[in-house]
Amino acid sequence: MPRTTDGDGTPVPQRLLAAATRLFAEQGYDRTSVQEIVEAAGVTKGALYHYFGSKDDLLHEVYARVLRLQQERLDHFADMDAPVEQRLRGAAADVVVTTIENLDDAMIFFRSMHHLSPEKSKQVRAERRRYHERFRALIEEGQKEGVFSTATPADLVVDYHFGSVHHLSTWYRPDGPLTPQQVADHLADLLLRALRP
């Protein structure tokens, strides 16, 4: 049985994911070998296959861990006892911040999603759809209450916001003029302005 942690206590699955994320971001998924991943993580191939059935599983987990975090945070905002405008703004800003904080993961995913097996690809689409549906429900709630305009269908508003989020990895730079929170505030404000009645 492979060791679950290394000398500093980092669990082997996390070390493998960190190594895979860095290599996929630097070289591309298709140009990164399993051997390079295990060498960078300081483990054996047996350890990798103990935790992940394939390189495809690693690619899926790179994205799934961010989506799990974002779903958990969206659920937190959606369930708050606060006006819908405040809840939507919080969720809209939070997804920007968490995407920027995991920019390599986002870049890898959008650059490499086509490498996923059909089964994993279907799973990811279902997870994303669940997230988008919960986000859309906040917009629809505000539209029903008359807080948000109904001029634009809620689906299109969701696509508008997430189009911006998905492009962050193409232009955002940590050493640029805006902090993650400033970018998040600007994009959340744009979304709310677009929804004003």
Side-chain angles (χ1 to χ4, degrees), residues 126-141:
E127 291 161 0
R128 277 178 64 190
R129 189 166 45 253
R130 181 174 162 250
Y131 183 94
H132 285 192
E133 284 169 0
R134 187 86 204 257
F135 195 91
R136 186 185 68 219
L138 283 171
I139 295 166
E140 290 170 338
E141 181 186 333

Side-chain angles (χ1 to χ4, degrees), residues 24-38:
F24 292 165
E26 287 172 5
Q27 303 175 177
Y29 171 81
D30 51 338
R31 289 186 302 281
T32 300
S33 70
V34 167
Q35 187 60 40
E36 288 173 303
I37 295 167
V38 297

Side-chain angles (χ1 to χ4, degrees), residues 3-12 15 41-43:
R3 288 180 306 141
T4 55
T5 61
D6 67 0
D8 71 358
T10 305
V12 170
R15 289 167 57 205
V43 300

Side-chain angles (χ1 to χ4, degrees), residues 168-183:
L168 286 166
S169 65
T170 65
W171 67 266
Y172 182 81
R173 297 290 168 265
D175 58 352
L178 296 173
T179 66
Q181 192 59 57
Q182 287 172 323
V183 174

Side-chain angles (χ1 to χ4, degrees), residues 1 64 76 147 149 153 155 160 167 173 194:
M1 170 103 177
H76 165 76
V147 176
S149 168
D155 275 338
Y160 163 78
H167 279 92
R173 297 290 168 265

Side-chain angles (χ1 to χ4, degrees), residues 64-133:
R65 66 182 171 176
V66 178
L67 193 54
R68 279 193 302 271
L69 166 73
Q70 290 178 332
Q71 183 70 56
E72 187 180 294
R73 305 219 8 108
L74 172 59
D75 290 341
H76 165 76
F77 283 106
D79 293 337
M80 283 170 64
D81 183 20
V84 68
E85 188 172 2
Q86 188 182 328
R87 288 182 283 136
L88 178 65
R89 190 189 187 290
D94 185 73
V95 73
V96 173
V97 171
T98 54
T99 297
I100 290 174
E101 287 174 347
N102 296 281
L103 217 48
D104 278 351
D105 304 58
M107 178 180 62
I108 290 162
F109 184 75
F110 290 108
R111 203 168 58 188
S112 306
M113 184 180 169
H114 63 284
H115 289 294
L116 285 175
S117 67
E119 180 191 322
K120 288 265 189 298
S121 187
K122 186 178 173 185
Q123 202 178 335
V124 164
R125 282 197 308 274
E127 291 161 0
R128 277 178 64 190
R129 189 166 45 253
R130 181 174 162 250
Y131 183 94
H132 285 192
E133 284 169 0

